[in-house]
Amino acid sequence: MIKIAHRGNFNGPDQSTENSPEQVYKAILAGYNAEVDLWVVDQKLYFGHDKPTYLVDPYFIHQNVTKLWLHCKNLEALDFTLSMPKYYQSFWHQEDDFAITSNNYIWTYPGKLVNNKSILVCKDIPSKEILSSNIAGICTPYVGILSLIKLDNQNVY
């Protein structure tokens, strides 16, 4: 199962650090993928949820691209990611039930149906039922504690 730190957070939500390049890098160093909110404004790259907040060096994205899930927040960001090589993992959505990522995963809104191509967004601590379902991955700010959840006397991972 692909484990994705929501906005770089992996030990619970933290609005003061989410989407900061430092927090995203901490998640990657801890062994997780990271979902980040990407903006492109005046040909510059930014991370930030509600607005472009953190100026990001394109090299940071390129250097960590295999671990990043780029949630495009404006048309310019979507255009930028779609012009990149196929290994850039990107998507756009608002509150849609499903969105297709650039590499054909199904980014799935909480509480919606899932299958083996689904990356399920889970804003709370995932239940044992969710973790035992046949999904490709999970995106949660609690990904760091998944190993503490037991499924049939075994750790999740």
Side-chain angles (χ1 to χ4, degrees):
M1 178 185 297
I2 303 166
K3 296 139 213 87
I4 305 168
H6 187 249
R7 300 180 190 152
N9 289 326
F10 55 96
N11 287 319
D14 184 349
Q15 289 184 337
S16 68
T17 63
E18 70 181 22
N19 281 307
S20 71
E22 295 80 15
Q23 183 62 33
V24 170
Y25 194 59
K26 284 180 188 177
I28 292 169
L29 288 178
Y32 308 112
N33 283 215
E35 177 266 350
V36 293
D37 298 316
L38 179 69
W39 299 79
V40 175
V41 177
D42 295 329
Q43 300 180 343
K44 294 180 183 164
L45 304 176
Y46 294 88
F47 290 162
H49 180 61
D50 293 323
K51 63 183 180 183
T53 305
Y54 302 99
L55 184 63
V56 180
D57 186 331
Y59 183 72
F60 176 84
I61 293 176
H62 182 71
Q63 184 179 26
N64 296 292
V65 72
T66 60
K67 296 288 188 177
L68 296 176
W69 295 72
L70 303 170
H71 179 180
C72 301
K73 300 298 276 189
N74 63 356
L75 180 59
E76 294 83 359
L78 184 60
D79 189 45
F80 167 79
T81 61
L82 292 178
S83 70
M84 297 280 84
K86 189 67 173 167
Y87 53 83
Y88 276 62
Q89 188 71 253
S90 63
F91 63 97
W92 180 91
H93 83 108
Q94 295 269 53
E95 294 184 12
D96 309 289
D97 290 356
F98 310 101
I100 304 300
T101 72
S102 59
N103 285 343
N104 297 315
Y105 284 98
I106 304 168
W107 197 263
T108 307
Y109 203 73
K112 302 303 176 184
L113 294 175
V114 295
N115 67 17
N116 64 352
K117 289 259 192 188
S118 297
I119 302 294
L120 180 61
V121 177
C122 189
K123 295 181 182 179
D124 297 317
I125 297 173
S127 68
K128 290 179 182 182
E129 293 76 26
I130 288 172
L131 295 173
S132 62
S133 62
N134 185 25
I135 56 177
I138 191 158
C139 177
T140 177
Y142 297 99
V143 73
I145 66 166
L146 294 183
S147 62
L148 304 176
I149 300 171
K150 302 274 187 179
L151 298 178
D152 298 327
N153 296 321
Q154 294 182 356
N155 288 4
V156 173
Y157 64 96

